Amino acid sequence: MKYAADYARDRAEIEDLLARYLMAMDYNDFDTYADTFTEDGTLEFARGAVTGRENIRAAAKGFKEAVAGIYCDVDGNPAILRHVLCQSVIRVEGDRAWHTGFWFECANDGPRTPDGKRFTPTLGTFGIYEDELVRVEGEWKFSYRNIRNEFLAGRESGPDNPVLAMDAKAGKTAA
């Protein structure tokens, strides 16, 4: 793969967007979460697809409220969830970019440590992000994000290397 002279800057800006997205979700900052998308951006996830920042904001808030009732610590309180982004492949073509990355989630819903003071973290869900991004007024935003969940039938990424699918999609769009 050949990289443009400004690839490092674009990649750094996109990685910053990816981190801001996860921090916003994990800390229930739904305004910042929605702002990582374009005005007409689409989020596709386990509950379906929503388009537009206001709909994305509402969907994220509703999802977090539902998850709070599912993931509980040993005391019955909503578990604290933190997402981690691992390897990321980012392709940039001018003001458009594509990202594929592996994510997983940690939670404090495990048993307490022997001294009873802390929870043992658990590794919970995991999957792949499939993203399309655009530069809007100098800032990278998601125009489309598909959250693949390897543990949900119909939401898994499949047997083929997802980076090849990203490159094919980018090649068709960039041409």
Side-chain angles (χ1 to χ4, degrees):
M1 179 93 196
K2 290 187 173 189
Y3 298 100
D6 52 359
Y7 176 79
R9 185 198 70 227
D10 288 330
R11 183 178 176 96
E13 290 173 1
I14 291 168
E15 287 178 348
D16 186 68
L17 174 73
L18 298 168
R20 288 175 185 279
Y21 166 94
L22 288 176
M23 293 290 192
M25 174 53 82
D26 287 347
Y27 287 90
N28 302 317
D29 179 358
F30 303 111
D31 291 333
T32 299
Y33 182 87
D35 191 50
T36 63
F37 288 84
T38 61
E39 286 289 341
D40 61 348
T42 297
L43 170 65
E44 185 176 339
F45 67 123
R47 291 181 143 192
V50 292
T51 299
R53 280 189 186 150
E54 293 307 314
N55 293 327
I56 291 169
R57 179 184 290 109
K61 188 173 188 291
F63 180 75
K64 285 294 289 239
E65 289 167 354
V67 166
I70 297 169
Y71 288 102
C72 296
D73 65 24
V74 295
D75 298 325
N77 299 311
I80 297 171
L81 305 177
R82 298 294 184 252
H83 291 81
V84 178
L85 179 62
C86 295
Q87 59 268 36
S88 285
V89 177
I90 299 171
R91 180 172 175 161
V92 179
E93 303 283 345
D95 288 337
R96 297 193 58 144
W98 296 262
H99 165 258
T100 296
F102 177 77
W103 62 269
F104 66 89
E105 167 191 87
C106 296
N108 70 332
D109 59 346
R112 288 193 184 273
T113 56
D115 62 10
K117 294 181 181 179
R118 296 180 320 277
F119 295 102
T120 301
T122 60
L123 179 61
T125 59
F126 62 99
I128 300 285
Y129 291 125
E130 299 172 340
D131 300 319
E132 296 177 30
L133 304 101
V134 295
R135 192 182 342 244
V136 178
E137 297 177 10
E139 290 185 60
W140 287 103
K141 302 281 184 183
F142 296 109
S143 58
Y144 174 76
R145 169 159 264 207
N146 186 7
I147 304 171
R148 294 279 183 189
N149 306 86
E150 299 297 346
F151 54 93
L152 294 176
R155 295 294 307 151
E156 62 270 43
S157 63
D160 297 326
N161 180 349
V163 174
L164 299 178
M166 178 196 76
D167 282 341
K169 191 174 202 179
K172 288 179 187 173
T173 306

